[in-house]
Amino acid sequence: MTLLLKNVRPMGGPVTDILITEGRIADIGPAQAAAETVVDGGNALVMPGLVDAHVHLDKTLWGTWRGHQAGPTLDDKISTERRLRTEWDLNPERQAEQHIALSAAMGTTSLRSHVDIDTVHGLKGLEGLLAARARYADVMDIEIVAFPQSGLMIRPGAAELLDEALANGADLVGGLDPYGLDRDPKGHLDTIFALADKHTKPIDIHLHEGDELGAVTTEMIVERTLALGMEGKVAISHAFCLGMQDRRRVAGLTEKLARADIAIITSMPPSRPVPVADELRSAGVRVAGASDNVRDTWAPYGNADMLQRAMHIGQRYNWRMDADIEVALDICTYGGAAVLGLRDYGLSKGSMADLVLVEAETVAEAVVAAPVRKQVFKRGKLVAANGKALA
């Protein structure tokens, strides 16, 4: 199949046409050859598909409003969620499908989802996500992280379940606050890295631990990454310790992260210290943006809109110039693609035709206004239009 996308402006540049063949950009320029399907973009700005590098497809309550019940601590949120999953009979496959459709409508074409693996619900969440991923394979590229949300060392049997999940479809090994939750950073990290080594799979660790506690954990992650030759295959999500006031300490950690090629994924929450993106990027550390929670038992907020997330990033860093706002979008596009290892991503000849069209004069306006996604293409196939998923 060939598709000619006429009258579009790549990243707000001059009006041109994009020829798409077999799901890839075959050429960019005016007066392209005839195609089986012709779509007039109406001078819309076109950008590559948005990338959400950290979500929880199995957790969302999207579609039904439920009042928030969890207390303020991490333990409160974990225990409340585990209870409500049973009380509300949440179906991970159904919830994931609703989230995928919402993300597609917002222009996301690739994402990484963590899925809870614990001794209460076993692999139910993974099975649901695998089914949803298969059903929406032509709409969204999805990586699945086997994630010990309720703990690893404090829950006998959890490590064995992670092992089983990795053998049955999970793409990455997850971890969570090795000291703050598990009270055993060495045991937790040794287990995570051993599983990654056994299954030859990458790692993505939630690290909420702040200040010096998080800094020491980060150093332990770096040590194991280098020892096992896993450079480029490890990510730390949240990394709140990188937002601590001791910037000399952070500079040292940043240098170590760069040396080990460990990526940082941030949802830029307003309630916590956050990593400083331009410092990390200047040092060569890959940085990706993320939604994290989307209306679930952890938080009633979130709408899976990565353009809006780019706006939050710009606001958090007080970025006001157009060039700076463009960096915020880069974190939610090319930055996410680099962390997820997406091949042939972008707006050049040969790239996968994952494209988003919006009515905006410039990239900065697209980020600030977060307009309705006019059209969203996944590998050259129209998957969403006028803010609604077609699936």
Side-chain angles (χ1 to χ4, degrees):
M1 295 290 293
T2 58
L3 166 67
L4 181 58
L5 191 55
K6 294 182 64 64
N7 300 319
V8 292
R9 296 177 299 112
M11 302 305 283
V15 176
T16 189
D17 302 335
I18 299 177
L19 180 65
I20 298 168
T21 302
E22 296 183 352
R24 291 181 178 271
I25 297 175
D27 204 358
I28 301 176
Q32 293 290 335
E36 295 169 270
T37 303
V38 178
V39 175
D40 192 332
N43 294 340
L45 182 150
V46 60
M47 64 182 71
L50 297 162
V51 180
D52 199 340
H54 179 125
V55 297
H56 295 268
L57 293 178
D58 61 322
K59 295 179 185 289
T60 186
L61 302 174
W62 194 266
T64 302
W65 180 261
R66 296 182 184 271
H68 186 68
Q69 296 187 25
T73 70
L74 183 66
D75 287 342
D76 289 336
K77 293 179 175 64
I78 292 171
S79 60
T80 299
E81 177 186 51
R82 196 165 55 239
R83 172 175 59 83
L84 292 177
R85 277 181 183 273
T86 299
E87 289 183 9
W88 291 345
D89 190 27
L90 296 179
N91 182 311
E93 181 178 354
R94 180 188 63 228
Q95 301 309 121
E97 290 179 349
Q98 292 185 114
H99 193 156
I100 292 167
L102 174 65
S103 294
M106 296 296 186
T108 291
T109 56
S110 300
L111 59 80
R112 173 180 290 179
S113 176
H114 299 255
V115 60
D116 288 10
I117 305 294
D118 63 42
T119 53
V120 175
H121 300 283
L123 302 184
K124 181 180 178 181
L126 174 65
E127 292 163 357
L129 258 64
L130 289 172
R133 177 168 71 176
R135 182 178 180 186
Y136 285 87
D138 60 346
V139 174
M140 189 81 60
D141 287 328
I142 299 173
E143 289 185 349
I144 298 177
V145 185
F147 176 50
Q149 176 71 88
S150 295
L152 185 58
M153 309 308 291
I154 60 175
R155 283 193 165 264
E160 288 74 16
L161 284 169
L162 283 185
D163 190 13
E164 187 177 352
L166 292 165
N168 287 278
D171 305 297
L172 295 92
V173 190
L176 172 64
D177 292 348
Y179 181 84
L181 177 67
D182 253 354
R183 306 296 192 269
D184 184 357
K186 183 181 184 303
H188 184 105
L189 293 175
D190 284 350
T191 300
I192 294 300
F193 276 86
L195 287 169
D197 188 47
K198 174 182 177 180
H199 294 275
T200 320
K201 294 190 175 181
I203 293 173
D204 189 336
I205 300 176
H206 284 57
L207 188 61
H208 305 98
E209 298 167 5
D211 298 324
E212 188 58 24
L213 179 59
V216 172
T217 302
T218 298
E219 289 175 329
M220 294 177 71
I221 294 171
V222 169
E223 290 168 358
R224 285 159 175 75
T225 300
L226 294 173
L228 289 174
M230 290 191 64
E231 294 94 328
K233 298 178 181 179
V234 177
I236 299 176
S237 291
H238 306 311
F240 296 142
C241 64
L242 298 180
M244 65 179 165
Q245 292 184 355
D246 188 346
R247 302 315 297 170
R248 291 182 62 184
R249 180 73 164 113
V250 171
L253 292 173
T254 299
E255 182 182 344
K256 293 176 181 179
L257 290 168
R259 185 167 69 251
D261 193 11
I262 294 175
I264 299 297
I265 303 171
T266 178
S267 62
M268 207 58 56
S271 58
R272 299 292 299 269
V274 296
V276 180
D278 50 6
E279 290 181 2
L280 290 167
R281 285 162 58 97
S282 295
V285 178
R286 291 169 293 140
V287 180
S291 291
D292 194 9
N293 304 102
V294 174
R295 195 180 294 182
D296 55 24
T297 64
W298 283 61
Y301 304 104
N303 60 2
D305 188 344
M306 290 305 293
L307 268 186
Q308 191 178 88
R309 185 64 52 178
M311 180 185 67
H312 291 329
I313 291 172
Q315 288 177 318
R316 188 68 196 267
Y317 293 136
N318 197 26
W319 288 344
R320 297 168 183 264
M321 306 298 287
D322 278 21
D324 293 330
I325 297 173
E326 290 170 8
V327 173
L329 179 62
D330 188 82
I331 290 171
C332 298
T333 51
Y334 289 93
V339 172
L340 268 60
L342 300 181
R343 298 195 303 174
D344 302 327
Y345 175 89
L347 286 179
S348 59
K349 186 175 179 178
S351 297
M352 297 301 298
D354 294 355
L355 308 172
V356 182
L357 276 63
V358 295
E359 297 289 352
E361 289 296 317
T362 66
V363 168
E365 183 187 4
V367 171
V368 171
V372 170
R373 308 311 106 93
K374 184 176 179 179
Q375 291 169 316
V376 181
F377 295 88
K378 180 64 181 176
R379 289 188 285 274
K381 174 187 175 182
L382 184 67
V383 296
N386 300 317
K388 293 187 180 296
L390 301 184

